[in-house]
Amino acid sequence: MMTQTETAQGTPAVRRPEHPGYQDRKDAFARRLRRIEGQVKGIARMIDQDTYCIDVLTQVSAVNRALQAVALGLLDEHMSHCVVDAARSGGPEAEARLQEVHDAMARLLRT
Amino acid sequence: MMTQTETAQGTPAVRRPEHPGYQDRKDAFARRLRRIEGQVKGIARMIDQDTYCIDVLTQVSAVNRALQAVALGLLDEHMSHCVVDAARSGGPEAEARLQEVHDAMARLLRT
Amino acid sequence: MMTQTETAQGTPAVRRPEHPGYQDRKDAFARRLRRIEGQVKGIARMIDQDTYCIDVLTQVSAVNRALQAVALGLLDEHMSHCVVDAARSGGPEAEARLQEVHDAMARLLRT
Amino acid sequence: MMTQTETAQGTPAVRRPEHPGYQDRKDAFARRLRRIEGQVKGIARMIDQDTYCIDVLTQVSAVNRALQAVALGLLDEHMSHCVVDAARSGGPEAEARLQEVHDAMARLLRT
């Protein structure tokens, strides 16, 4: 597989998909993010009210888990649509898509 | 070290600290959470605007990282104050505090 | 995307690829795993020699990082070969491959 | 809490505990590490035998989980003994121990 450096140096910019992979499930993702936004607001409120540290940490872990689930869902849609389409059409797009998935997974694993 | 089951079964509820460990830095934590709330709102907006999957994922990773930093900061304050105070006063509180830290770290590592 | 339950219930077993995706890089992966095995042996030795807890923990983190890199490398090869081939040939294999990647990523993120 | 930079610049080296925190459970930790060493050897064998990528990844996740459990166990012993002892004796050791725990947790969370 192509390394990130090779991408940066040697590959001309390749076309991105016209629509994001999650297009058919935009509403579901938007709803989940609004819920997560509410959870973060709730943590700020817990701190305002001097909630015990450990209880605040439990909520932070819950938000992290919810965000990981969103990330996994976005990756699913990306692979089912953007990666599969690029693989089928052949050409340099397939390799670019795979490199992007690699980089996204590396970022998710490191957090 | 006491296991979680022993806590649940055998330990009478022990007193929690009067003030949360993060008390002296409430404002800093509140500010960081408001910033994270804004980042989550930003991700919802990206989805509304059909932003490319990978760019959305990059932002989700950034929020996860910011939340982990908040969690680590809360753990620091908890240990510097709640755990250290309990260790110094002796008694069952020390063990209860250590068990809570164990459980909180386990939750953070598993997300 | 298909849920795991639907897979288990409704999908007949689909053919797996004849060769693993990492086939062309077997030696490199084998070498990395031997190095990791040596690192784990080294941690056991540190414990035998009463090495300070924190120094042992630093080594455990290093092994975890090395294993994550192997996992990411295996995922890369799996996607570049098994997933791309299945996408190109069409048929039920593509969906089965994507579901497997989803499950593997979920397991990696949760550890 | 003290930042890492302040430690490096301003704090003279403080005494480390005479015995590691895990001293009373050395055998249990050594046994767990030998088991993990065997698991890593097993993964190398899977690759030799062209095992399907996803099955190899499942084993890598299992080893990661086992290592995280060892890390959490070492942290427990470190806090129950090294941190608690330092807190009780007062002096600069307490702060040094807390900083070390902070750094170890940060490393574990980032892997």
Side-chain angles (χ1 to χ4, degrees):
Chain A
M1 187 172 182
M2 205 170 53
T3 67
Q4 195 169 3
T5 316
E6 284 164 7
T7 313
Q9 294 180 333
T11 314
V14 291
R15 216 162 25 89
R16 287 183 154 193
E18 218 168 314
H19 302 292
Y22 56 77
Q23 197 186 21
D24 297 341
R25 299 184 51 205
K26 271 177 74 159
D27 291 352
F29 281 109
R31 251 196 316 280
R32 286 162 82 177
L33 283 162
R34 269 197 299 276
R35 199 158 40 225
I36 291 171
E37 194 192 316
Q39 285 178 292
V40 175
K41 220 188 279 274
I43 298 175
R45 209 176 309 123
M46 288 173 97
I47 285 183
D48 276 345
Q49 300 171 347
D50 296 313
T51 305
Y52 184 42
C53 324
I54 295 293
D55 295 336
V56 181
L57 280 167
T58 301
Q59 274 312 100
V60 174
S61 288
V63 174
N64 255 328
R65 215 163 21 246
L67 276 169
Q68 294 279 34
V70 165
L72 208 49
L74 289 169
L75 266 177
D76 282 349
E77 300 300 328
H78 181 64
M79 290 194 296
S80 306
H81 298 103
C82 312
V83 173
V84 163
D85 289 353
R88 284 182 183 153
S89 73
E93 279 81 12
E95 228 165 325
R97 291 298 88 79
L98 291 171
Q99 181 64 43
E100 289 168 350
V101 169
H102 168 93
D103 295 344
M105 269 300 292
R107 276 191 296 270
L108 285 172
L109 284 173
R110 232 118 280 167
T111 55
Chain B
M1 188 174 181
M2 204 171 51
T3 68
Q4 197 168 1
T5 316
E6 284 164 5
T7 312
Q9 294 180 331
T11 314
V14 291
R15 216 163 23 92
R16 288 183 152 192
E18 219 169 316
H19 302 292
Y22 56 79
Q23 198 187 22
D24 296 341
R25 299 183 52 205
K26 271 178 73 160
D27 291 352
F29 281 109
R31 250 195 316 280
R32 287 162 81 176
L33 284 162
R34 271 197 298 277
R35 198 157 42 225
I36 291 171
E37 195 192 314
Q39 286 179 292
V40 175
K41 221 187 278 274
I43 298 175
R45 210 177 306 123
M46 289 173 96
I47 285 183
D48 276 345
Q49 300 172 348
D50 295 314
T51 305
Y52 185 42
C53 325
I54 296 293
D55 296 337
V56 181
L57 280 166
T58 301
Q59 274 312 102
V60 174
S61 288
V63 174
N64 256 328
R65 217 166 17 248
L67 277 169
Q68 294 278 34
V70 165
L72 208 49
L74 289 169
L75 264 178
D76 282 349
E77 300 301 327
H78 181 64
M79 291 194 294
S80 305
H81 298 102
C82 311
V83 173
V84 163
D85 289 353
R88 284 182 182 155
S89 73
E93 277 82 12
E95 229 166 323
R97 291 296 87 79
L98 291 171
Q99 181 64 43
E100 289 168 351
V101 168
H102 168 93
D103 295 344
M105 284 184 179
R107 276 190 296 271
L108 285 172
L109 285 174
R110 230 121 282 165
T111 55
Chain C
M1 189 173 179
M2 206 170 51
T3 68
Q4 196 168 359
T5 315
E6 284 164 8
T7 312
Q9 295 180 332
T11 315
V14 292
R15 218 163 23 90
R16 287 182 153 193
E18 220 169 315
H19 302 293
Y22 56 79
Q23 197 186 22
D24 297 342
R25 300 184 53 204
K26 271 178 73 159
D27 291 352
F29 281 109
R31 251 196 317 280
R32 286 162 81 176
L33 283 162
R34 271 197 298 278
R35 199 157 41 223
I36 291 171
E37 194 191 315
Q39 286 178 292
V40 175
K41 220 187 278 275
I43 298 174
R45 209 176 310 123
M46 288 174 97
I47 285 183
D48 276 345
Q49 300 171 348
D50 295 315
T51 306
Y52 184 42
C53 325
I54 295 294
D55 295 337
V56 182
L57 280 167
T58 301
Q59 275 312 102
V60 174
S61 288
V63 175
N64 256 328
R65 214 163 21 246
L67 277 169
Q68 294 279 34
V70 165
L72 208 49
L74 289 169
L75 263 179
D76 282 349
E77 300 301 327
H78 181 64
M79 291 194 295
S80 305
H81 299 103
C82 312
V83 173
V84 163
D85 289 353
R88 285 183 182 152
S89 73
E93 279 81 12
E95 228 166 325
R97 289 298 87 79
L98 290 171
Q99 181 66 41
E100 289 168 352
V101 170
H102 168 93
D103 294 345
M105 284 185 179
R107 276 190 296 271
L108 285 172
L109 284 173
R110 230 120 281 165
T111 55
Chain D
M1 190 174 177
M2 203 170 55
T3 68
Q4 197 168 2
T5 316
E6 285 164 6
T7 313
Q9 296 180 331
T11 315
V14 291
R15 217 163 23 91
R16 286 182 155 194
E18 220 168 315
H19 302 292
Y22 56 79
Q23 199 186 20
D24 297 341
R25 299 185 50 207
K26 271 178 73 160
D27 291 352
F29 280 109
R31 251 195 318 279
R32 288 162 81 176
L33 283 162
R34 270 198 299 277
R35 198 158 42 223
I36 291 170
E37 195 191 316
Q39 285 178 293
V40 175
K41 220 187 279 275
I43 297 174
R45 210 176 308 122
M46 289 174 96
I47 284 183
D48 276 345
Q49 300 171 347
D50 296 313
T51 305
Y52 184 43
C53 325
I54 296 292
D55 296 337
V56 182
L57 280 167
T58 301
Q59 275 313 100
V60 175
S61 288
V63 175
N64 255 328
R65 216 164 18 246
L67 276 169
Q68 294 278 35
V70 165
L72 208 49
L74 289 169
L75 266 177
D76 282 349
E77 299 301 327
H78 181 64
M79 291 194 295
S80 305
H81 298 102
C82 311
V83 173
V84 163
D85 289 353
R88 285 183 182 153
S89 73
E93 278 81 12
E95 229 166 323
R97 292 296 88 79
L98 290 171
Q99 180 65 42
E100 289 168 350
V101 170
H102 169 93
D103 294 344
M105 268 300 293
R107 276 190 296 269
L108 286 172
L109 284 173
R110 231 121 280 165
T111 56

